[in-house]
Amino acid sequence: MALSYHRSHLQVMSEKAIKRVKADWNEVVLVCRKCSKKLDGGFGAESDQKLAKALRKAIGAKGKGRKAKAAVIEVGCLDVCPNGAVVAVRASSPKEWAVIPRGTPMTAVVEKLGLGGAEPPA
């Protein structure tokens, strides 16, 4: 009986259409959440922000969520685990990962990640 329910449930699930969701992103940067949590800040003007938040501000990722021009997304562990640094990767250049030490100026982070063409912060 449970098996027949499982089959009918899968059949119903497969009949639902796959939908597309629009985003205004020109670029996506993935930042290791575990590295960021270990550092507890260390970036931005006051050195008190996580890399993701400071990077969003530095590249002028105006708007929220899918309406922003660029996305900086914290993801699970990227399995590099550097001491005193955070790992980040630009999705359009997956072969080039950056290990960004705590306290690195955001202008250097933006340049290293190749995000110089992003809008300047307001």
Side-chain angles (χ1 to χ4, degrees):
M1 186 157 170
L3 185 58
S4 65
Y5 167 77
H6 183 69
R7 283 185 184 154
S8 64
H9 180 69
L10 287 177
Q11 186 177 14
V12 169
M13 292 297 291
S14 66
E15 291 174 3
K16 290 185 179 182
I18 297 173
K19 297 179 183 179
R20 288 183 175 236
V21 178
K22 183 181 180 238
D24 294 335
W25 300 343
N26 293 323
E27 187 59 77
V28 176
V29 178
L30 307 177
V31 176
C32 180
R33 180 183 296 119
K34 188 174 178 182
C35 292
S36 293
K37 189 174 181 178
K38 284 181 181 180
L39 288 188
D40 192 30
F43 297 96
E46 305 288 322
S47 294
D48 62 347
Q49 295 177 328
K50 287 181 163 185
L51 177 61
K53 185 172 184 175
L55 188 55
R56 280 185 201 104
K57 185 174 182 180
I59 64 173
K62 296 176 183 173
K64 295 279 187 181
R66 295 178 291 114
K67 295 188 186 286
K69 292 296 177 192
V72 180
I73 301 173
E74 286 189 299
V75 297
C77 186
L78 293 171
D79 292 332
V80 176
C81 305
N83 286 324
V86 178
V87 176
V89 59
R90 202 172 84 204
S92 63
S93 285
K95 292 183 180 184
E96 299 174 22
W97 292 28
V99 177
I100 304 166
R102 175 188 312 190
T104 302
M106 293 313 299
T107 53
V109 174
V110 169
E111 184 180 325
K112 180 65 178 173
L113 290 172
L115 300 171
E119 294 179 27

